Amino acid sequence: MKKRASLKDIAQEAGVSTALVSYVLTNKEEKARVGREMASKIRKIARKLNYQPNYLARSLKSGRTDTIGLIVADISNPFFGQIARIVEDEAKRHNITVIFGSSDENAEKSADLMNVLLNRQVDGLIVIPSEGSEQQILQLSERHVPFVLMDRPFPSIAASSISINNFEASYNAVEHLLHSGRKRIGMIAYQTGLHHIAERRRGFEEALANAGLKTGKRLKLARYNHLREDIRKAIDQLTGGKHPADALFFATNSLAIEGLRYISELGIRVPEQLAVVSFDESEAFDLFHAPVTFIRQPIREMGKAAVQLLLSQIADSGRPPEDIRIDAELVVRRSSAAN
Amino acid sequence: MKKRASLKDIAQEAGVSTALVSYVLTNKEEKARVGREMASKIRKIARKLNYQPNYLARSLKSGRTDTIGLIVADISNPFFGQIARIVEDEAKRHNITVIFGSSDENAEKSADLMNVLLNRQVDGLIVIPSEGSEQQILQLSERHVPFVLMDRPFPSIAASSISINNFEASYNAVEHLLHSGRKRIGMIAYQTGLHHIAERRRGFEEALANAGLKTGKRLKLARYNHLREDIRKAIDQLTGGKHPADALFFATNSLAIEGLRYISELGIRVPEQLAVVSFDESEAFDLFHAPVTFIRQPIREMGKAAVQLLLSQIADSGRPPEDIRIDAELVVRRSSAAN
DNA sequence: AAAATAAGCTTAAACGTTTAAGTAACCTAG
DNA sequence: CTAGGTTACTTAAACGTTTAAGCTTATTTT
């Protein structure tokens, strides 16, 4: 790369000190009482040399980098991809750059990533935490790093968070299935200690309980690293036996997509034999022969809120943590039609 | 954020100069002939204070940031999301951080982004260029910024690029449709001057020509910003009339997904009435009642190659540009079965 | 025993900014 | 005419590193 022009180069050409140039180019001429002529001369030279400030130097001095870090759980999942995009857009509106990383649902990778980002002196972090990362998050808190948890709050940690009302969303979805006449509703969730999934499970169980039904063995768990086999086994169990399930509720889009692949393969008719509802959105849901009923998370709203909350946290480090809980929307389509 | 420990803090506690500390912590003790005892004392203190080097200061000195920029065309498209993930992984293997941005297929936004990234002193760029960004790319070249184009080469610009053999992939896909007995093959592509799309169109046209067929009005274009309406119109035209198309070839996954939505709506039977083939992968293709035949781009290979090419470009700025062309694979499934 | 070498450290400058404090020249008011 | 103010600049230090060059003191060589 060719050497870029620095304040020094401009100063030299204008025959003044770098300080003066700095005052002008950061629009502090008033305060520094720079002469009108000199100011315009400096500006002209700056333009001629195509001066671009060196953010490194500036940040070194100011202690701020105008950069935030975003750690998502898995960037190849469009759900997180969308979040990344919205966070980036919103950040740019505030002249903030985003450095991102994907933890791939792996606590170790997440810790690495966090270190890298903090070493790059980000001003703060937005984190979609993976399982087992409580300690890391706690450390952020102790080191007084401004951060916001997104999508997955940790109730045990006093930290700002943005998420949907998982319990309620789940409850409503199951209630919808009940209203459409389903009696033997199964759920497939991740096997994880993460609170948002626990809440989704709780919503499922409570909705059934309130309808006088018992969950029984209809709640199945799949391991993230054995998604395919676990889901197939779960579906085999749920749809087999004397009392096969007549509805299936998936706790995330990736679970649903893998599940629907198998359901297609088995030739199970949706919604006649089996109603389907899933959390999260996916283009794949539209192309399934019976468009899939899903719980839409207000991603845009969440992303914006996350950035704004983080920025105010950065601006005022004494700010108490804030939990923002947003309602999700059930989008009813053919996969859960009454029969 | 609490103040982090600096070399100075360590030096003070050890009663030595910062220089000595620097030598030890950058493992130059041999060269600088630091005493064994002192070295271990310094290391111990560094550990105790949890010293983390300040990359800003280091970069300011060295002129390198160990950071590359990635500009994708649209991060909310899983295709690019995957690329982002792979680029990030590969970069991390080399201890390089990635700063990314999405141009949303918008040349202006792309220019903004480029400036932001360059101002952050990235060592180089990987760009998936959007339409109309030739000038920006040319400027990169003139400013001697190391960069690599990905997915979409600009044949008019001497620059390194990684892409698939679009012409050939397209040709093969159409040939496959011909072999499965299709005679009236339509194609829907983006209306764009981008070379990779032009190549895909050329592959389509030539495959038909070689089979003694003419393209006629069976090549339809859709505008990125009017995707839905343009695709619907195109499909109406292609499937209507006396000689309705018996196969449809989509130039990208987003075109295909929008198209398949409409095809489902219209109740057109795939593959009986209409065979379907698309470029790129998508989970949605799996869930379509007739799993969609598609052209798989070797994303991992491309991502790795892009990072490696960029890094060698950064290391040796005199290096001549290199074009890497990788073959894509046609994955045949039910949507294009013979009838 | 003087000279050369080695060992173990320090000094100081540099990277490109920002900004408080200082200075010199001129102007104005009493 | 002179104290005080204003204008238009400069000086210098600081942010946290890196690294060539310098400086002691101790050890080896001849």
Side-chain angles (χ1 to χ4, degrees), chain A residues 79-80 105 129-131 151-155 163-168 170-171 187-205 219-222 224 249-255 279-280 297:
Chain A
F79 176 68
F80 298 117
E105 302 283 7
S130 43
E131 190 173 11
D151 186 45
R152 310 171 174 183
F154 279 154
S163 59
I164 59 163
N165 195 326
N166 283 294
F167 169 75
E168 208 174 77
S170 185
Y171 190 101
M187 177 176 194
I188 299 184
Y190 274 119
Q191 172 157 45
T192 170
L194 286 169
H195 183 251
H196 72 302
I197 297 290
E199 284 291 285
R200 292 178 189 182
R201 285 161 52 175
R202 197 166 66 83
F204 169 71
E205 286 167 343
L219 174 53
K220 302 288 182 189
L221 301 180
Y224 183 74
F249 179 34
F250 291 99
T252 76
N253 60 355
S254 38
L255 291 167
F279 256 88
D280 308 337
Q297 300 205 35

Side-chain angles (χ1 to χ4, degrees), chain A residues 205-226:
Chain A
E205 286 167 343
E206 243 172 74
L208 288 187
N210 282 356
L213 299 172
K214 48 194 182 327
T215 315
K217 293 187 169 168
R218 292 231 170 76
L219 174 53
K220 302 288 182 189
L221 301 180
R223 292 163 296 174
Y224 183 74
N225 292 317
H226 300 75

